[in-house]
Amino acid sequence: MDTPAALPAEVETVVITAARLPQMGGEAAFSLVRLETGELVEAQRLDEALGQVPGAVLFRRTSSLGANPTIQGISLRNIAPSGAGRALVTLDGVPQNDPFGGWVIWSSLPPEGLSGLSMVRGAGAGPYGAGALTGIVALEERGATEGLAALELSLADTGSARAALSGGTNGFLFTGAAETGDGYVPLRGTGRGAVDTETTLESWTLAARYQADISGVFAALRLGAYDEQRGGGVEGLTSASSGETASLTLVHAPSAVAYGWRVQGWYRESNLQNTFLAVAAGRATASPASTQYATPATGWGANAALRREGTGWSWEIGADARLNDGETQEQFRNLGAGFTRGRWAGGKASVAGIYAEGTRSIGAWLLAGGGRLDAWSNSDGSRLETDLATDLPTLDIDQPDRNGVIPTARFGARYTLSDTMWLRGAAYSGFRAPSLNELHRPFRVGNDITEANAGLKPERLYGFEFGAGTDGAVNWQATVFYNRLADPITNVTIGFGPGTFPVAGFIPAGGVLRQRQNAGAIDAVGLEAEIGGEIAPGFTVKSGVLATWARVDGGSAAPQLTGMEPAQTPRFAATLQADWRTTDRLSLSADLRFEGERFEDDQNQRVLSPAFTANARMGWQVAEGVEFYAGADNIFDADIEIGESADGLESYGAPRLIRIGLSYRQ
């Protein structure tokens, strides 16, 4: 008698994803925005993709196509944008803000390597840690794939070219991107002179991650490096940034019968070089005013979390620590025969904290909240300036060590009215410690000089908000909020040139001397709203608006600013994205953005005009996942005013840019 064949044993399919704990679910009680891969890759630059959300802005209107690295920090809700950034950016839990300046090098984060992101507006507190002052941008890297996952090749009419790819095999993920080419001349019109030239950009980034499931524990080792070289639009005005990153993450996912946990450690090195120029009258010539020839900085940190989940509830406790160490190395004071002074300034800054976070579902209610306790310190601060000819010190300051402890918390509740409609409310607090750049590094733009301030205190934000919305084929949400930003770090005007000032030295005619100061408080009341969905087969529309009324209370520190609007803070912003797949092969899309006027300076004397840009794209699918496309950024060639100097010279963002390319998406 034949023995029946044995039935094949069931084989569990394990999908290797990025090593991170799943979201707890409580984020729905806060102002949450989700962007998926398709919404990121069409923009090519991640900061431009984030611009789909009104109020997600860099310090200035310039994108990372032409912006100096020091103004690429991101802030949310248009609450006093800062070059250092007032929002925390993470990649699977690892901070991406620079250890010296707090800004983000966006070219090191190509969208092709991401599976999406979650943006939480309002102070982060909870599991995010220090730096999430106006919110968090939590990037998610692609999971491990077999073969090519994404490829992008494009050319632009400026002579620029870009290539990016992401893919892997056997638990490896590789992501890389490179870009080269000329840009545009920021200064236009009658004020333009012989020294004004095109911006340039040469950049590359590479990252590799190995990930494996070891007896239920996800382990991920990630290494990355980046480099970018920029020409700033004036002959001789250049910048360069480079860095390396490494992280190791171990994650055990929670289940109904077991705790989940995460342990993560990371290390980051960065370096920045900048030249600063003094431009002569008529802009016929420019001479070096200073050179920041090196800014070596390191950042390292660790975090750990323990998670427990059950039916309708979850909690997490954890701890994290970050330590940054760096200095600026410069030469300055050029009297016509070369630099005569040298400067070395820097120190250490650290933040370490513990937190607890929990969520609970009770019928139609979702409750979420938690608290943190953080200790911060600034130490080993110094500033040494010497005469390069004699090597004798002209300024030698040892900054006193400073430290403190700050408690923060957030609480939110969401109530489901029906299958699709909900109401929610939240209250929160958060803080951001000053960056090493703000504490120690003075800088110059044209004839305007901004001094550092080693006595800066952390910024703190308190706020509450109420919102409503629906989830469905067409979804919308609207939120009203009030935020108070206490002790905001602001560039405060303290003198005008020509003249000689303590520490800063000589300020030329037409120049302004500012210093970073904790200037009182900023009160912001706002309304944000989004609506989107498929309104016809193949036709999807998404739109958002943000209105922010912000005013400065300078207090005793800066009474001259009381009643002013914070610099670089537009009152209104709106976006509209439309995608239409007309046939199986042809797709059309448009991206419209409007921003109201903003002030260039803290005194509200220089007004930057409202800005409207329209981008368009047409794609033709030539094979499964393969698309040929043509697009135009700023299709109407609008003048986007990005800056205005003390003597009235206006600079502008990128003009119309035509691009063609080939893309592949798995």
Side-chain angles (χ1 to χ4, degrees):
M1 182 175 178
D2 294 335
T3 303
L7 295 175
E10 288 191 8
V11 177
E12 181 182 2
T13 300
V14 178
V15 179
I16 302 295
T17 60
R20 53 180 175 261
L21 285 172
Q23 285 192 343
M24 292 178 64
E27 302 296 2
F30 302 94
S31 182
L32 173 67
V33 177
R34 178 75 190 171
L35 296 179
E36 304 296 344
T37 305
E39 298 172 283
L40 301 178
V41 294
E42 288 189 6
Q44 295 199 342
R45 291 177 180 81
L46 183 56
D47 60 299
E48 294 179 358
L50 294 174
Q52 298 175 52
V53 182
V57 293
L58 304 190
F59 177 52
R60 297 182 181 274
R61 287 170 173 164
T62 316
S63 77
S64 59
L65 172 65
N68 184 280
T70 60
I71 59 172
Q72 292 187 29
I74 189 169
S75 300
L76 305 180
R77 285 184 166 166
N78 283 343
I79 302 172
S82 162
R86 290 190 164 111
L88 178 66
V89 180
T90 63
L91 177 63
D92 291 336
V94 177
Q96 300 300 298
N97 303 73
D98 183 82
F100 186 80
W103 47 72
V104 179
I105 303 299
W106 298 101
S107 63
S108 71
L109 298 166
E112 289 80 6
L114 303 177
S115 62
L117 65 87
S118 294
M119 183 186 300
V120 182
R121 297 169 290 194
Y128 302 118
L133 189 72
T134 59
I136 174 80
V137 180
L139 309 176
E140 300 165 3
E141 195 166 37
R142 285 180 177 271
T145 61
E146 290 297 325
L148 187 63
L151 174 68
E152 182 90 15
L153 302 171
S154 66
L155 298 172
D157 60 349
T158 57
S160 301
R162 180 179 184 270
L165 63 84
S166 183
T169 183
N170 296 325
F172 282 97
L173 177 72
F174 300 95
T175 300
E179 185 169 6
T180 181
D182 297 331
Y184 56 94
V185 181
L187 203 63
R188 304 174 196 167
T190 55
R192 181 172 167 178
V195 299
D196 295 299
T197 185
E198 294 175 333
T199 62
T200 60
L201 174 62
E202 306 279 341
S203 70
W204 61 262
T205 182
L206 290 172
R209 189 190 72 213
Y210 177 70
Q211 185 166 299
D213 184 347
I214 307 171
S215 300
V217 175
F218 284 120
L221 173 64
R222 186 181 190 275
L223 304 175
Y226 67 87
D227 182 272
E228 66 172 31
Q229 310 285 326
R230 293 180 177 272
V234 177
E235 187 175 348
L237 184 64
T238 62
S239 67
S241 57
S242 59
E244 300 81 36
T245 63
S247 64
L248 176 63
T249 308
L250 303 175
V251 173
H252 183 272
S255 68
V257 296
Y259 287 91
W261 52 266
R262 179 194 70 245
V263 177
Q264 185 176 68
W266 53 270
Y267 177 80
R268 186 180 187 94
E269 288 188 352
S270 69
N271 198 6
L272 173 69
Q273 298 170 291
N274 263 318
T275 59
F276 302 92
L277 304 177
V279 180
R283 303 186 68 81
T285 62
S287 59
S290 66
T291 175
Q292 183 181 3
Y293 60 86
T295 313
T298 58
W300 56 93
N303 59 71
L306 180 67
R307 173 86 62 85
R308 190 75 170 95
E309 295 183 353
T311 304
W313 59 269
S314 63
W315 57 259
E316 181 177 302
I317 57 174
D320 52 68
R322 308 175 203 164
L323 177 62
N324 297 326
D325 183 355
E327 71 171 8
T328 179
Q329 302 173 5
E330 305 176 22
Q331 293 182 343
F332 66 103
R333 194 169 179 262
N334 183 358
L335 302 179
F339 296 118
T340 62
R341 298 284 170 85
R343 177 188 294 129
W344 296 262
K348 296 179 181 179
S350 65
V351 178
I354 56 175
Y355 70 89
E357 185 92 346
T359 67
R360 183 74 166 97
S361 296
I362 307 174
W365 286 95
L366 170 64
L367 307 176
R372 290 187 59 92
L373 187 66
D374 286 278
W376 63 272
S377 72
N378 299 325
S379 61
D380 296 343
S382 65
R383 179 168 172 175
L384 173 65
E385 296 181 0
T386 66
D387 186 296
L388 293 177
T390 64
D391 207 28
L392 296 175
T394 59
L395 181 69
D396 191 354
I397 303 174
D398 287 328
Q399 311 290 0
D401 294 350
R402 305 176 68 248
N403 59 73
V405 176
I406 297 180
T408 55
R410 67 171 188 166
F411 299 95
R414 172 168 160 149
Y415 181 74
T416 301
L417 291 172
S418 66
D419 290 342
T420 59
M421 191 169 184
W422 47 264
L423 301 173
R424 65 168 193 86
Y428 39 77
S429 61
F431 83 102
R432 182 187 75 89
S435 67
L436 294 172
N437 178 69
E438 292 166 315
L439 292 167
H440 302 296
R441 171 185 165 261
F443 69 92
R444 179 170 183 156
V445 178
N447 292 331
D448 296 344
I449 293 176
T450 301
E451 266 295 332
N453 184 354
L456 292 171
K457 299 181 292 185
E459 301 176 323
R460 291 163 294 131
L461 186 141
Y462 309 92
F464 59 86
E465 60 192 49
F466 299 96
T470 62
D471 297 320
V474 175
N475 58 77
W476 62 269
Q477 63 173 330
T479 300
V480 293
F481 61 87
Y482 166 76
N483 286 172
R484 182 174 179 84
L485 178 57
D487 296 320
I489 298 172
T490 305
N491 295 338
V492 177
T493 299
I494 59 176
F496 298 89
T500 300
F501 297 84
V503 181
F506 180 71
I507 306 298
V512 176
L513 175 62
R514 300 187 181 94
Q515 184 187 39
R516 302 183 184 99
Q517 296 180 5
N518 293 107
I522 296 173
D523 292 295
V525 178
L527 167 68
E528 63 190 12
E530 292 95 25
I531 185 171
E534 189 174 21
I535 60 177
F539 187 49
T540 303
V541 174
K542 183 175 69 171
S543 180
V545 297
L546 173 67
T548 304
W549 190 89
R551 289 294 183 274
V552 177
D553 177 359
S556 59
Q560 73 277 16
L561 300 183
T562 298
M564 300 289 185
E565 296 185 32
Q568 302 295 336
T569 303
R571 302 172 190 170
F572 182 78
T575 64
L576 173 67
Q577 292 85 39
D579 292 280
W580 182 25
R581 182 159 291 280
T582 62
T583 67
D584 290 340
R585 291 185 177 273
L586 179 63
S587 62
L588 305 173
S589 63
D591 178 5
L592 311 180
R593 302 180 191 183
F594 174 81
E595 183 187 274
E597 67 179 24
R598 56 164 80 180
F599 290 104
E600 165 76 14
D601 63 320
D602 62 308
Q603 302 277 309
N604 290 183
Q605 295 179 352
R606 311 181 205 171
V607 180
L608 304 182
S609 302
F612 173 77
T613 56
N615 307 325
R617 186 180 188 274
M618 178 182 68
W620 181 263
Q621 184 170 315
V622 296
E624 182 67 28
V626 180
E627 181 184 62
F628 172 79
Y629 68 87
D633 297 341
N634 192 9
I635 193 170
F636 298 121
D637 201 24
D639 289 335
I640 310 300
E641 190 178 3
I642 62 172
E644 183 177 323
S645 65
D647 52 5
L649 288 177
E650 299 171 340
S651 54
Y652 295 88
R656 179 170 49 236
L657 179 69
I658 307 297
R659 179 183 294 109
I660 60 172
L662 186 70
S663 69
Y664 169 76
R665 304 283 182 264
Q666 190 181 73

